[in-house]
Amino acid sequence: MSAPVVVKQFPLEKEYAKKTGVTPEDVAKLRAWLATQPHLPGELLTDLDLVLAYHCCQQSAEVSKQVLDLHFTLKTLFTNFFKDRLVTEKTFATLSMVCTVPLKVSAHNDSAVFYCRLTDADAKKFVFHECVRVALMTLDLWQEEEGTWPGLEIIFDMRLFSLQHLPKVDLHTLQQFLYYLQEAMLMRVTGLHFINAPSFIDKLMMLIKPFLKKELLECLFIHQIGATTLEKHLPMDGLPEEAGGKGISLSKATEDLKERFQLNKDFFERENKRRVVESRRPGRPKTISDIFGGIEGSFKKLDID
């Protein structure tokens, strides 16, 4: 991610030059389908949005349609993360508690790398859904700037996460976050890494694992305090200074991210309008119970036939 600037959308001509297999013809077909979906914010979606969907669904047009619909459906229903998702004083307060840093290094599998860590150890201030909200805002802005990646490796640094934080990770929020992460985000998660794992990491895993698909369970890695096992997946020199790397310091990363959000308030105001109007959906409107009670299997499989 670049220094704090007003983000410009990644150019389509450069996106097509990445040779991801997505073509302008694919995008045109998705655009034509969008015109038949009155509940979706089709007029507010850019061609890059459609490229991102097609790419993360391994160039399957039908899966792309389902994931696009689910993406904006969840952004409408998961209000804790996405309702009134604007840059406010609450946003800056959360950024003073948690650092969400797109790293400048790539993983060994060429995936982008996203680093998250608490910067304030006070569990009384910890609000899980606000941390998730800020992390997803960071990802959306980063993807707007860089377009597609082969995948995304997420690092959760547990250095300041204590037993006092654990009860504040409520299951409702966790279920929604992991469902969105696996099923509806317009990028493919290729690894979840928990570094500086505390002695009680098994208790956290007991909360997380029931919500993970087999494919993601297979790329979930626990790295103990002082371990160098992360090196198998990405160059550890790229981590922030406080995590043992040679990258940006957390204080500078936080300062940059606050400035970045401030400069890109308009981006989030525009994004906040891109939601589903359920009253216009062909057939029956969708609710939270439809999402967690009626969907079987998953759309975004790692290997699509």
Side-chain angles (χ1 to χ4, degrees):
M1 188 173 72
S2 67
V5 292
V6 176
V7 166
K8 294 181 180 179
Q9 188 176 79
F10 191 75
L12 272 178
E13 61 272 18
K14 290 187 178 181
E15 187 56 62
Y16 290 131
K18 290 181 183 179
K19 301 188 184 337
T20 59
V22 184
T23 67
E25 291 74 26
D26 296 323
V27 170
K29 289 176 183 176
L30 273 183
R31 180 69 67 187
W33 167 79
L34 270 176
T36 69
Q37 306 298 309
H39 62 296
L40 292 178
E43 71 283 358
L44 300 179
L45 303 190
T46 67
D47 284 354
L48 181 63
D49 294 315
L50 305 188
V51 169
L52 295 174
Y54 205 76
H55 176 258
C56 79
C57 296
Q58 297 186 340
Q59 293 78 48
S60 168
E62 289 309 308
V63 177
S64 298
K65 293 172 186 177
Q66 294 173 77
V67 169
L68 264 177
D69 190 300
L70 187 62
H71 177 82
F72 290 105
T73 298
L74 297 191
K75 278 194 165 181
T76 307
L77 292 177
F78 290 0
T79 54
N80 266 355
F81 305 152
F82 300 112
K83 183 176 172 57
D84 300 327
R85 196 171 70 146
L86 306 172
V87 179
T88 64
E89 287 305 312
K90 184 183 284 188
T91 310
F92 292 124
T94 304
L95 287 171
S96 295
M97 287 211 53
V98 61
C99 195
T100 56
V101 190
L103 298 186
K104 292 184 177 181
V105 297
S106 295
H108 299 322
N109 62 7
D110 294 326
S111 292
V113 183
F114 187 53
Y115 174 91
C116 305
R117 169 182 156 158
L118 291 175
T119 52
D120 189 326
D122 187 353
K124 293 178 182 177
K125 299 179 185 176
F126 178 65
V127 181
F128 182 45
H129 75 261
E130 292 293 346
C131 294
V132 173
R133 173 184 281 247
V134 160
L136 295 178
M137 289 173 77
T138 307
L139 282 173
D140 278 1
L141 190 59
W142 186 24
Q143 195 171 36
E144 175 81 355
E145 184 178 33
E146 297 200 354
T148 61
W149 305 301
L152 180 70
E153 302 274 324
I154 304 177
I155 300 172
F156 298 101
D157 190 338
M158 306 297 291
R159 180 75 69 177
L160 295 185
F161 191 88
S162 69
L163 272 172
Q164 285 69 47
H165 290 89
L166 198 58
K168 304 192 79 172
V169 179
D170 65 284
L171 290 181
H172 176 73
T173 299
L174 185 63
Q175 181 185 33
Q176 289 192 0
F177 170 50
L178 293 175
Y179 190 82
Y180 176 77
L181 193 76
Q182 296 173 95
E183 302 293 350
M185 203 160 61
L186 300 185
M187 58 189 82
R188 185 169 297 279
V189 178
T190 52
L192 292 177
H193 301 273
F194 291 81
I195 68 173
N196 294 311
S199 58
F200 58 87
I201 190 67
D202 57 322
K203 293 180 172 61
L204 181 61
M205 290 302 110
M206 285 176 66
L207 299 179
I208 291 174
K209 287 185 175 181
F211 299 126
L212 294 183
K213 300 185 298 182
K214 176 177 178 289
E215 293 89 348
L216 204 55
L217 277 169
E218 291 175 350
C219 53
L220 184 153
F221 303 96
I222 308 296
H223 307 276
Q224 302 300 326
I225 295 172
T228 58
T229 47
L230 186 63
E231 190 69 48
K232 296 176 184 177
H233 306 274
L234 56 100
M236 290 181 65
D237 278 356
L239 293 176
E241 291 176 7
E242 292 85 343
K246 298 178 181 177
I248 193 169
S249 69
L250 293 181
S251 59
K252 181 67 166 67
T254 297
E255 178 186 323
D256 284 357
L257 200 56
K258 287 181 177 180
E259 185 178 354
R260 191 176 182 78
F261 273 38
Q262 180 68 36
L263 288 169
N264 289 281
K265 281 186 172 184
D266 288 351
F267 168 82
F268 292 111
E269 288 176 5
R270 292 193 304 273
E271 199 286 322
N272 197 55
K273 297 174 183 176
R274 307 190 325 166
R275 300 294 183 263
V276 165
V277 180
E278 285 296 343
S279 62
R280 297 179 189 168
R281 183 188 292 274
R284 189 170 59 86
K286 283 194 175 175
T287 65
I288 287 283
S289 60
D290 293 318
I291 299 300
F292 292 120
I295 290 182
E296 296 179 4
S298 77
F299 298 140
K300 285 174 64 179
K301 297 177 182 176
L302 291 183
D303 295 302
I304 298 170
D305 297 331

